[in-house]
Amino acid sequence: MKPHAMSKYFGNGAGHVLRQHNSAELRFSWRGKPDGSARYVEPVNRYARNGVEYPSLAALLRAVEAEHAQKER
């Protein structure tokens, strides 16, 4: 059997995040192009991307979406 992965679209479908089963790394894409990664930091139960920590996956996704909203202005 194939291991499960977490896959979620966000930002009105422009963003996508993928996390492989039992992996702390999250891979992002934006409009179909690679857009870096983030890590789940288990000891503190937070997500980290580009040196910034986020208290939840939702907060991380909002930050990535806001980052692209600024770039697209």
Side-chain angles (χ1 to χ4, degrees), residues 1 5-6 10-11 17 22 34 38 48 51 54 60 65:
M1 275 177 62
M6 183 275 298
F10 64 99
V17 61
N22 286 337
Y54 300 92
L60 171 61
E65 188 175 353

Side-chain angles (χ1 to χ4, degrees), residues 3-8 16-28 37-42 45-47 56-57 60:
H4 292 71
M6 183 275 298
S7 174
K8 181 168 182 61
H16 182 249
V17 61
L18 179 68
R19 179 178 176 182
Q20 294 298 327
H21 182 65
N22 286 337
S23 173
E25 185 175 38
L26 291 84
R27 291 273 180 193
F28 287 88
S37 63
R39 295 193 67 73
Y40 176 66
V41 186
E42 195 168 343
N45 196 30
R46 294 172 81 79
Y47 293 86
S56 66
L57 178 60
L60 171 61

Side-chain angles (χ1 to χ4, degrees), residues 47-63:
Y47 293 86
R49 176 175 161 97
N50 299 331
V52 180
E53 287 189 359
Y54 300 92
S56 66
L57 178 60
L60 171 61
L61 299 182
R62 283 192 302 268

